[in-house]
Amino acid sequence: MRIARFSIDGNVGFGVVEGDRSTATSDDVDSLVLDIIRGHPFGDFELSGQKVPLSKVRLLPPVLPSKVVAIGRNYAAHAAELGNEVPEVPVAFFKPSTSVIGPGDPVAYPSFSSLVHHEAELAVVIGRMCREVPAERVADVVLGYTCANDLTARDVQKTESQWARAKGFDSSCPLGPWIETDLDPADLAITCTVNGELRQAGRTAEMVRSVADLIVHITEAMTLLPGDVVLTGTPAGTGPVHVGDEVAVSIEGIGTLTNKVIKRG
């Protein structure tokens, strides 16, 4: 199912997106409706039967994570294009909760950078508190998957040994448009366009380490909470975005996440 987080008349809730599953984007909303959830998707819930056209709500980030744990250099071709080797162990870093925005929300270009890159990524949404998860139980702790854009101030990343500012600035982590719970992440097409021009085109099968490998590695060190997000790396083709650009990340079986870049006020 597709689970969306939304706002209507000042109220925030979760709902299941119903309609033609071939409708891939949150822009094509005419035939889609939300069946509002009683409760929340991180426990037992039921559908209320109260249905609202998707066109009448504002889609929000599908979750508000306590933390976003991101993995760098998990596609060999992307590592190579930046002159890096594939690391022996996954490179993990954090993006703060304040970096998260939803579909259609603006990306505010940071004032301290002149070279921000897009990075299309598959995002894993954690469904239950977990630590030291064995590989055979990873599916039990995953709620589903969504699209992400790991926006990066590339010039700052090159000059600062820690990536906190380069990858953690406000609005640097668009997520959405919804969570797809019924999905095998092993081999999905992932693309990024800027103003309609194709920039990135890869498949999750190209990841050096699988979703299961990453969850095992991360939870050896820390507890993941319901709603936390794991970013799994980006394929080759990352490049600059500028004020006024529209960036769209699409993942097979999920949909399309679109955000426009604006000047930071």
Side-chain angles (χ1 to χ4, degrees):
M1 69 178 68
R2 291 175 289 185
I3 299 175
R5 183 169 163 268
F6 68 94
S7 173
I8 184 171
D9 298 329
N11 297 309
V12 174
F14 289 94
V16 172
V17 181
E18 298 180 345
D20 183 0
R21 295 186 71 82
S22 66
T23 301
T25 79
S26 56
D27 298 323
D28 303 328
V29 299
D30 290 344
S31 63
L32 300 179
V33 297
L34 277 172
D35 193 336
I36 296 175
I37 287 173
R38 288 197 182 103
H40 59 78
F42 302 105
D44 294 333
F45 69 86
E46 60 182 15
L47 299 178
S48 68
Q50 180 183 354
K51 299 187 179 184
V52 181
L54 197 64
S55 59
K56 301 296 184 182
V57 309
R58 176 190 171 200
L59 287 178
L60 302 174
V63 287
L64 288 179
S66 76
K67 55 187 171 293
V68 177
V69 186
I71 301 297
R73 303 171 188 169
N74 198 33
Y75 287 74
H78 170 60
E81 73 181 349
L82 295 182
N84 298 312
E85 299 290 335
V86 174
E88 293 185 7
V89 295
V91 174
F93 57 93
F94 293 107
K95 294 174 84 82
S97 58
T98 47
S99 70
V100 173
I101 60 173
D105 290 341
V107 172
Y109 203 106
S111 58
F112 57 86
S113 173
S114 59
L115 187 62
V116 173
H117 278 197
H118 58 79
E119 295 192 9
E121 308 206 8
L122 176 72
V124 185
V125 179
I126 299 301
R128 53 184 290 188
M129 185 171 70
C130 59
R131 68 183 178 92
E132 298 182 350
V133 180
E136 63 272 16
R137 287 193 55 242
V138 166
D140 297 336
V141 306
V142 172
L143 176 63
Y145 303 88
T146 192
C147 305
N149 190 352
D150 174 21
L151 289 153
T152 303
R154 195 69 76 197
D155 48 353
V156 178
Q157 185 186 28
K158 290 179 179 179
T159 59
E160 298 183 3
S161 59
Q162 296 292 321
W163 297 352
R165 294 205 316 152
K167 285 180 171 286
F169 60 88
D170 289 355
S171 73
S172 66
C173 189
L175 297 174
W178 40 61
I179 302 165
E180 175 58 65
T181 64
D182 185 18
L183 193 68
D184 181 348
D187 187 19
L188 304 172
I190 177 170
T191 64
C192 179
T193 64
V194 178
N195 302 324
E197 174 191 354
L198 183 64
R199 293 279 191 86
Q200 292 181 270
R203 301 194 69 86
T204 57
E206 300 166 7
M207 290 195 298
V208 176
R209 296 172 181 87
S210 68
V211 167
D213 291 338
L214 297 178
I215 300 298
V216 169
H217 178 75
I218 291 166
T219 60
E220 284 177 343
M222 71 191 71
T223 299
L224 295 177
L225 302 178
D228 280 351
V229 171
V230 174
L231 304 187
T232 58
T234 192
T238 63
V241 297
H242 304 94
V243 172
D245 285 347
E246 185 175 82
V247 186
V249 174
S250 298
I251 300 180
E252 180 182 2
I254 300 175
T256 298
L257 167 68
T258 303
N259 301 90
K260 191 169 184 178
V261 183
I262 66 169
K263 183 178 180 179
R264 186 171 184 174

